Amino acid sequence: MCGIFVYQGPRSDAAGIVLEGLKRLEYRGYDSWGLAVPGSDGLKTERRVGKIGAVSANDGPIAALNPSNVAIGHTRWATHGGVTEGNAHPHLSCDGKVGVIHNGIVENAEELKAELLAGGHVLASETDSEVIAHLIENLLRDHPLPEAVRLAFSRLRGRNAIVVLSASAGKVLVVAKSGSPVVIGIGGNESAPEYFVSSDMPALLAHTNRLVWLGDHEMATIDGSLKFASTSTGEPISRQSEIVAWEPEQAERGEHPHFMLKEILEQRDAVQRAINQPPALLDEVAAVMRVAQEVCFIGCGTAGAVGRIGTYLFADIAGRATSAILGSEFKNYRHSLHERTLLIAISQSGETADLLEAVDIALARGSRVVAIVNVPGSMLTRKAHYTLLVQAGPEKAVASTKATMGQIAVLGLLAHACAGQAAHGHALLTNVASHIDALTTPDYMGRVARLANRLAGEDDLYVIGRGINYPVALEAAIKVQEVSYIHAEGIAGGELKHYAIALIQPGTPCIILASNDDARAEILSNAAQVKARGGMIIGVGPEDNPIFDEYLPVPDGGGLSPLLTLIPMQILAYYLACARGNDPDMPRNLAKSVTVK
Ligand code: GLU
């Protein structure tokens, strides 16, 4: 959620480098931020509440942190303790010499706090994080920094990632992780290496694409070289760096006013890349699916809706019954899992805490796991038996668009592979992708923007679909909620008469997803029922109809229609956010990869 960015190397403007790194993590969502560098008498820190975007490296207090060859920085998404400067990280020990930045939740913080207070420590913040600095301070009496960090970290419960800087240990940094993501970037050259640490890989790309992902219960000591060890035993371990093919400019906003818009416009390429899966891998995963007794998609938020879309795709294309469960609900099904259960875990970041927990449960029961994920090297790719990379490139807007589309495309391809028709599926998907451009022309975008202006003052919005358009409606409603904050709900057309029609009043906007499929006649009947109660009908699909008060045309995508129907819904959400004065990239209270539970 919150972000970590750290530099150690030959450059003397470490605070500026870290400040810029934190700005690249802005999109993840945060409420306060801070930096620390070593000083002559303890660590020097600068912590603030609010946005970092406008702050420059020349800003007085930030500039005063330099010159320094090492700096740690953090953007906080408060879990324990209010949003105040005093609760912003880095947190320091009593002597001011140990500084800690922390992502996650120390679940046993209260117990540790009581112990520290009894031992005479004074805690300056309300956070769970601060205890870590004080625990390390105690342990430094008898141990060198890496061992002190290891022993302190071993006492923390929960999913955590920390970076520790100690004024007494010069520029040495120690990183440890047990759940929350951490990536180390190696830049510079052999005689003058530079090291970066971040909670999120795209933030490193401006500096290097040579990366090492730290695994759970692993730590790294950066002291001009890089050493890895187990946090459980302290034994050294070896970790290889990987070169990631993402380009730094893919992670930049360029000329676009928002990342969300940029990413919506990149979707044709995203679908095209997503369907270029290694054929042997695709065949292998399809074979695993065929022998599985049960197949279950899991995901959270938008990826949860993608899983539900998957159930329709597999039933329709491969004649295969599957189920979809939310990552956070999955543990309730643990007793139904066995060796012949196949879990298909869907994620953008591959770091979603609820999803990783579900995968651990499935692995413990001997089930097989396939990951459909965007971020290479992420924790999900390490846990899964097979990984189909979505390859959408860095996605920075909190509301997922291109990664979602890539996930749906991978599911469409896999469903065809399961039916023994991978090549045919690839051709169909290529054809559908070729229609995406028609949905992102300035004319079309303008049409959706005008509709958004008309709807911007509404309090409620319903998206109604049948068949595969039911989960598409769920995802459309998620998009609208996320960035416009309008109350939006996805409703199955058939359920209207059971409850939802009670909500319709004169003027209530209802988006009717009417593809050219066998649900069309029935969804138009639903539209008529809504219209009879005064609802305003916005039709979305390949054919206009007199019942529509507004109409957004969408090319006919056949059995893969979600790849087209969703696009005007994403664009609508984007323009609704803009029309209501919201920042679509950083919706309130939300964060990009949800690494806490
Ligand atoms: N639990 C910590 C806090 O509230 C860290 C939150 C975060 O991951 O940003 O300060």
Side-chain angles (χ1 to χ4, degrees):
M1 311 219 33
C2 44
I4 283 176
F5 201 92
V6 165
Y7 174 81
Q8 186 213 81
R11 290 161 63 177
S12 57
D13 59 337
I17 297 170
V18 168
L19 181 81
E20 289 309 315
L22 292 179
K23 287 187 194 175
R24 284 195 201 95
L25 293 169
E26 255 202 307
Y27 68 95
R28 292 168 59 95
Y30 66 97
D31 45 55
S32 49
W33 56 274
L35 301 170
V37 301
S40 49
D41 183 29
L43 297 179
K44 296 194 283 182
T45 61
E46 179 62 18
R47 299 183 295 171
R48 294 188 198 171
V49 169
K51 297 279 175 214
I52 198 171
V55 180
S56 107
N58 300 326
D59 175 282
I62 304 284
L65 296 178
N66 284 326
S68 178
N69 302 111
V70 59
I72 59 176
H74 186 265
T75 51
R76 175 174 186 240
W77 191 86
T79 67
H80 290 57
V83 178
T84 61
E85 199 179 293
N87 286 338
H89 302 212
H91 288 290
L92 305 186
S93 53
C94 290
D95 63 8
K97 291 192 172 159
V98 178
V100 173
I101 51 177
H102 165 231
N103 283 358
I105 295 174
V106 179
E107 290 172 0
N108 54 336
E110 286 311 312
E111 186 185 310
L112 295 170
K113 229 177 237 183
E115 177 188 315
L116 288 162
L117 291 173
H121 286 263
V122 177
L123 276 77
S125 78
E126 303 154 347
T127 64
D128 51 331
S129 312
E130 190 188 342
V131 297
I132 307 168
H134 295 270
L135 284 175
I136 295 170
E137 181 177 30
N138 278 354
L139 289 157
L140 276 174
R141 292 188 201 121
D142 302 316
H143 303 280
L145 182 66
E147 182 63 1
V149 172
R150 186 184 81 76
L151 293 171
F153 193 74
S154 309
R155 298 205 55 201
L156 311 181
R157 281 209 307 270
R159 306 169 57 81
N160 298 296
I162 61 170
V163 184
V164 183
L165 177 65
S166 156
S168 341
K171 57 180 204 169
V172 179
L173 290 165
V174 184
V175 188
K177 157 180 159 62
S178 67
S180 212
V182 178
V183 193
I184 299 172
I186 307 166
N189 53 44
E190 248 171 58
S191 57
E194 308 189 283
Y195 298 97
F196 304 85
V197 183
S198 181
S199 47
D200 205 16
M201 179 258 273
L204 297 172
L205 293 176
H207 299 285
T208 178
N209 64 354
R210 199 173 144 210
L211 308 177
V212 190
W213 271 266
L214 209 56
D216 281 345
H217 313 295
E218 292 179 5
M219 59 187 286
T221 301
I222 308 174
D223 55 3
S225 71
L226 194 51
K227 297 180 196 77
F228 298 96
S230 149
T231 56
S232 323
T233 62
E235 290 298 311
I237 53 174
S238 83
R239 278 245 153 260
Q240 297 305 317
S241 61
E242 298 171 34
I243 303 294
V244 170
W246 287 6
E247 297 298 326
E249 53 279 11
Q250 286 182 300
E252 303 299 334
R253 186 156 50 75
E255 297 300 301
H256 302 285
H258 297 107
F259 278 109
M260 185 176 177
L261 180 61
K262 171 181 182 264
E263 290 158 6
I264 286 172
L265 296 175
E266 288 173 348
Q267 300 199 92
R268 183 198 166 140
D269 290 347
V271 169
Q272 208 59 63
R273 279 200 299 272
I275 60 176
N276 284 334
Q277 295 295 332
L281 173 64
L282 193 64
D283 284 350
E284 205 174 338
V285 173
V288 173
M289 275 196 86
R290 277 191 228 106
V291 298
Q293 207 166 317
E294 279 112 33
V295 176
C296 177
F297 298 104
I298 57 164
C300 303
T302 285
V306 170
R308 294 175 80 151
I309 292 173
T311 61
Y312 286 81
L313 290 173
F314 275 80
D316 182 40
I317 298 167
R320 175 84 218 224
T322 56
S323 58
I325 299 175
L326 294 174
S328 54
E329 288 297 313
F330 188 75
K331 56 176 166 294
N332 302 301
Y333 295 83
R334 53 162 44 96
H335 299 301
S336 69
L337 305 173
H338 48 78
E339 287 85 358
R340 292 188 62 198
T341 307
L342 174 65
L343 201 68
I344 302 197
I346 305 167
S347 174
Q348 191 287 126
S349 66
E351 302 287 354
T352 314
D354 285 327
L355 192 73
L356 293 177
E357 184 187 83
V359 167
D360 285 341
I361 290 169
L363 291 173
R365 302 279 300 186
S367 306
R368 308 297 285 170
V369 177
V370 174
I372 297 182
V373 60
N374 190 36
V375 178
S378 55
M379 196 37 94
L380 180 57
T381 68
R382 287 160 202 283
K383 290 183 186 279
H385 298 104
Y386 305 93
T387 295
L388 298 170
L389 279 178
V390 168
Q391 305 178 96
E395 185 180 71
K396 295 193 114 181
V398 166
S400 177
T401 53
K402 64 174 180 172
T404 305
M405 217 48 95
Q407 290 160 350
I408 297 171
V410 171
L411 287 174
L413 185 68
L414 187 57
H416 280 96
C418 252
Q421 300 174 342
H424 176 58
H426 192 278
L428 286 179
L429 282 154
T430 305
N431 180 45
V432 170
S434 73
H435 291 297
I436 292 179
D437 287 343
L439 298 169
T440 51
T441 62
D443 262 11
Y444 192 85
M445 306 277 287
R447 184 171 182 153
V448 184
R450 282 191 294 281
L451 175 63
N453 287 336
R454 181 170 172 187
L455 298 177
E458 298 290 342
D459 294 326
D460 308 289
L461 177 69
Y462 301 103
V463 192
I464 305 169
R466 279 177 175 262
I468 199 163
N469 277 335
Y470 167 47
V472 171
L474 295 177
E475 167 52 12
I478 289 178
K479 254 338 96 265
V480 171
Q481 289 179 34
E482 275 180 304
V483 296
S484 78
Y485 320 148
I486 292 176
H487 164 239
E489 274 187 48
I491 298 171
E495 291 288 286
L496 258 183
K497 57 186 174 295
H498 293 290
Y499 62 96
I501 200 144
L503 300 167
I504 307 300
Q505 301 179 67
T508 305
C510 294
I511 297 177
I512 300 285
L513 305 179
S515 301
N516 268 347
D517 55 17
D518 54 13
R520 183 172 170 88
E522 288 180 340
I523 196 75
L524 290 176
S525 299
N526 291 139
Q529 293 155 7
V530 170
K531 183 115 180 181
R533 273 108 190 142
M536 170 194 167
I537 309 292
I538 302 144
V540 179
E543 273 176 49
D544 201 351
N545 189 281
I547 206 168
F548 299 157
D549 298 300
E550 293 267 3
Y551 171 54
L552 295 176
V554 173
D556 189 347
L560 296 162
S561 62
L563 291 167
L564 300 174
T565 313
L566 264 178
I567 292 179
M569 298 295 90
Q570 298 168 340
I571 300 171
L572 180 68
Y574 170 74
Y575 282 120
L576 280 172
C578 296
R580 289 165 67 96
N582 304 343
D583 180 347
D585 287 347
M586 281 181 275
R588 70 180 177 208
N589 306 337
L590 296 178
K592 185 65 181 166
S593 33
V594 186
T595 53
V596 295
K597 284 179 51 70

